[in-house]
Amino acid sequence: MSDEPTITTIARRAGVSIASVSRVLNGLPTRAETERRVMSVARELGYVPNSAARSLKSRRSNQIGFAMADIGNPVYLAMVREIQPMLKAAGYRLVLHSTNADAADEIDVLRGLGERYIDGLIMIPLRVTDGHLEMFAAARAPIVVIGSVPEGTPVDNVRVDSRAGVRLVVQHLHGLGRRRIGFVNGPLDTVPGAARSAAYAEALETLGLPYDRNLVEVGDFYRADGARAAARLLERVPDLDALLCANDLIALGALDVLRRAGRRVPEDVAVAGMDDTDLATIAWPPLTSVSLGSAERGRAAAELLLDRLDRDGRAPRTVTVEPRLVTRASTMGEETP
Amino acid sequence: MSDEPTITTIARRAGVSIASVSRVLNGLPTRAETERRVMSVARELGYVPNSAARSLKSRRSNQIGFAMADIGNPVYLAMVREIQPMLKAAGYRLVLHSTNADAADEIDVLRGLGERYIDGLIMIPLRVTDGHLEMFAAARAPIVVIGSVPEGTPVDNVRVDSRAGVRLVVQHLHGLGRRRIGFVNGPLDTVPGAARSAAYAEALETLGLPYDRNLVEVGDFYRADGARAAARLLERVPDLDALLCANDLIALGALDVLRRAGRRVPEDVAVAGMDDTDLATIAWPPLTSVSLGSAERGRAAAELLLDRLDRDGRAPRTVTVEPRLVTRASTMGEETP
C-alpha cells in the first residue's frame, strides 16, 4: 500500500473507526477526544482532502455495488460479510449484483456507474473481456477488481495466488500416497479456470507425476455441473484415488456422485475443494479445501475502494493474498465414521 | 389473481414470453407471427396500457430491488433464482440488498424507491415496523412484500401458511413415536418467529401433548445461533427425542451440536428444519424439512411486481402458497449409516 495518508491510514493511526474519521473530516458531531486525535493525526500525516472528490460526493448516492457471478456460491458471501460492515461504517449501503458471469450483464452494471446510482464498484469478473476493459478505462467512479486484470488496467486490484493454492492441495494428496489425482475444473475460458488448469499441470510435473488428460474434466462452477463432470470422470477412470475440485460447490457434487457409486471418501477417493467456504464444514465428510483468503480479499477490496473514494488520482494499486490449505476428513480420514 | 388483463396474462394466453409481449406493446421489432398473436390476444382481452405508468417508465432505471435479511440463507437464493430470470426477460436488472433484518436499513432501501434508482421493490422483512408501513403508504413505485402485512396495507403480498407447515412436521415427528419434541425458534419479535411459536403450541395441543416451556429455546435464524440454542436445550432436556428447528440454518447448527454430544440422528434425536433449502441435501444426515414454497413465492412476487409495473391503480393483491413436508434421513433413518 502507498504511504499517502487516507482516512484508512488516519483511522488506523488514531485508533478510531473509519466512520469516526469521516465524521470529523466532514465536520459532523463527534466526541471531543476523537476529534482531537483525528485532527492531530491528519495534520501530522499531511492529509489534504481531495476537493474534486468532495464535489463529486455532493451528488453521491451513498451506495456501492458488488458484482459477482453467483450469490449461491458462499465464497462471495464470505466477501460480503467483510465488505458490508466496512462500507456501512463509512456511510455507504452495499447493493449486490449476481451476474451469472454474463459479460453483458457485468458491462451493464459498469454502465450504471455512469448513471450515478452507485458511487463505486467492487467486481469479481470470471472473464475480463474487451468490453470490461473499455468500461474500466472510461469509468468516472472508482472500481476495484477482485481477480487478475491485464497489466496497466486503471483499476485497483486484489489478487490471490491460486496457482500456489492448487500446488498445496496436489502436494497434500500426493503426500497421502495418492497417484491417480483427478481434476474437475470450471470453464477454461474463465480467469480462475485457466489459472487452475495451468497450476494442476505444473504441480504434477513438479511431483514427477505424468499429466493424463483422461484425469481431467471440465464443467461449470456449480454443484450440479460438478456432479455431472465427476460422474464422467469416474466412469472413464474407475480407479482414480483422489479428486481435486476447482471449488467447493463442484466438490459437493463430486461427494454426491461418489456416495451413490458406493465409493468411500477418503478411503477409496480423497476429495478436496477450493475456496474453503462454509460448505466445507457442512459437507459430509467435512471437506479439505484450499482457502483463497476470501475474507481477506473482501477486506482489502473495501479498503482500496474507501481510500479511492476518499482521495482519487493516485496510481492503481494491487494487493495479493496468499492461499492456505485446510485439511479435513475428506482427505485425512480421522473424522469419517 | 384478478381477471384484468396484464402483460403476464397476455403472455400466458398467447403462449409467448413476457419479454415478447413487452416488446410488441412498446413497438419494438418482433417476429411478425409473435406480434400478430400478441395484438390479437391483447384486443381480445381488452388490454389498455396505463399511460401514467408509461410516462413514469420514461425515466425508469430498469432496475428492481430485492431486499432480504441475509444472503447467506439459501431460502432467499431460491427466490432470487426465480425472480431474476423473470425480471431479466422483461428488461429489468435485479439488485440485491442484504439488510441483516435491520429495520433502519430496510427503510433506507424503501427511501431509495423515491430516489428512482429502482423502479420497484420486492421485500421480505422479518419485522414490519411503523416505519415500514409509513414508507409503504408513501411509496411512489410498486412494492411487493413476501410475508405477512397488516390488513389494508397498500402493497401486493405473497404469504405462506407457515402454521400449517409447523403442524405437518410436528405431526410427522409424533407419528414416528417421538414425544419430547424440542423446538429451536428464531426471535419472537419477528413475523416468522411469532408465527412458528404459536403454531408449535397449537400443534402440540391438537396432538394432546403437553406444552413444556423447557423444550423451547430461542436464538437467531443463523447456524451459530442455532448451535448455541440447541446446546442449551440439550443440556436442560438431555432425553429429548426430536428437535424442530425454525429454519434449515438452525438445524445445521443443531446437527453439529448433536454430533459432538454423541447423539445419533435420527435414532436418538430426530431433527427437522424449515424452508427445505439446498442445505437440507448437503447436510449429513440429509435433513427433513418443510418446504415453504420459496421458489413459488419468488415467482408469485415477480409476477405481481411485473403486473403492477405494467398497470398500476388496481387494488392490492395477495397470493398464498401452501407448505409441503419433505422427509429425509434426519427423521426417517433409512439413509443413515
Side-chain angles (χ1 to χ4, degrees), chain A residues 84 93 96 98 108 284, chain B residues 84 93 96 98 108 223 284:
Chain A
Q84 188 158 12
R93 181 166 65 205
L96 307 169
S98 183
D108 238 32
W284 193 258
Chain B
Q84 188 158 11
R93 182 165 65 208
L96 308 168
S98 182
D108 239 30
R223 183 179 177 196
W284 193 258

Side-chain angles (χ1 to χ4, degrees), chain B residues 302-314:
Chain B
E303 206 160 289
L304 286 170
L305 192 74
L306 286 172
D307 277 358
R308 180 69 64 186
L309 284 163
D310 187 46
R311 286 172 66 100
D312 206 352
R314 76 179 70 199

Side-chain angles (χ1 to χ4, degrees), chain B residues 22-61:
Chain B
S22 172
R23 273 199 300 274
V24 171
L25 296 177
N26 286 292
L28 297 173
T30 326
R31 279 182 28 204
E33 167 61 15
T34 307
E35 185 173 343
R36 199 194 54 71
R37 273 161 66 189
V38 168
M39 289 312 291
S40 141
V41 171
R43 269 192 304 269
E44 182 191 327
L45 297 177
Y47 175 85
V48 185
N50 179 326
S51 66
R54 295 216 150 211
S55 87
L56 203 63
K57 273 180 192 171
S58 60
R59 353 173 234 133
R60 72 185 196 179
S61 66

Side-chain angles (χ1 to χ4, degrees), chain A residues 61 63 68 70-73 76-77 80-81 84 88 93-100 102 105 107-112 115 117 222-223 249 252 256 259 278-279 281-284 286 337, chain B residues 61 63 68 70-73 76-77 80-81 84 88 93-100 102 105 107-112 115 117 222-223 249 252 256 259 278-279 281-284 286 337:
Chain A
S61 67
Q63 297 199 131
M68 71 215 130
D70 171 25
I71 66 150
N73 187 335
Y76 304 120
L77 173 65
V80 169
R81 296 258 193 260
Q84 188 158 12
K88 190 171 181 181
R93 181 166 65 205
L94 185 65
V95 303
L96 307 169
H97 292 276
S98 183
T99 65
N100 197 22
D102 182 313
D105 263 21
I107 290 165
D108 238 32
V109 172
L110 284 162
R111 202 166 282 126
E115 292 158 12
Y117 84 91
Y222 299 93
R223 183 180 177 194
L249 285 170
L252 285 183
D256 292 340
R259 187 178 294 133
D278 284 351
L279 296 174
T281 68
I282 298 172
W284 193 258
Chain B
S61 66
Q63 297 198 128
M68 70 214 128
D70 171 23
I71 66 150
N73 187 338
Y76 303 121
L77 173 65
V80 169
R81 294 260 194 259
Q84 188 158 11
K88 190 173 180 177
R93 182 165 65 208
L94 185 66
V95 302
L96 308 168
H97 291 277
S98 182
T99 64
N100 197 22
D102 182 314
D105 264 20
I107 289 165
D108 239 30
V109 172
L110 284 163
R111 202 166 285 128
E115 293 158 11
Y117 85 91
Y222 300 93
R223 183 179 177 196
L249 285 170
L252 284 183
D256 292 340
R259 187 177 295 132
D278 284 350
L279 295 174
T281 68
I282 298 171
W284 193 258

Side-chain angles (χ1 to χ4, degrees), chain A residues 5 154 212 246 294:
Chain A
D212 178 355
S294 29

Side-chain angles (χ1 to χ4, degrees), chain A residues 79-145:
Chain A
M79 293 177 182
V80 169
R81 296 258 193 260
E82 300 292 323
I83 294 169
Q84 188 158 12
M86 286 175 71
L87 294 183
K88 190 171 181 181
Y92 293 97
R93 181 166 65 205
L94 185 65
V95 303
L96 307 169
H97 292 276
S98 183
T99 65
N100 197 22
D102 182 313
D105 263 21
E106 288 175 355
I107 290 165
D108 238 32
V109 172
L110 284 162
R111 202 166 282 126
L113 276 175
E115 292 158 12
R116 297 247 167 273
Y117 84 91
I118 44 177
D119 302 334
L121 178 67
I122 299 173
M123 168 169 256
I124 178 161
L126 293 188
R127 295 173 186 86
V128 178
T129 66
D130 288 349
H132 286 85
L133 294 176
E134 274 166 33
M135 296 303 293
F136 291 162
R140 285 177 305 166
I143 298 169
V144 177
V145 172

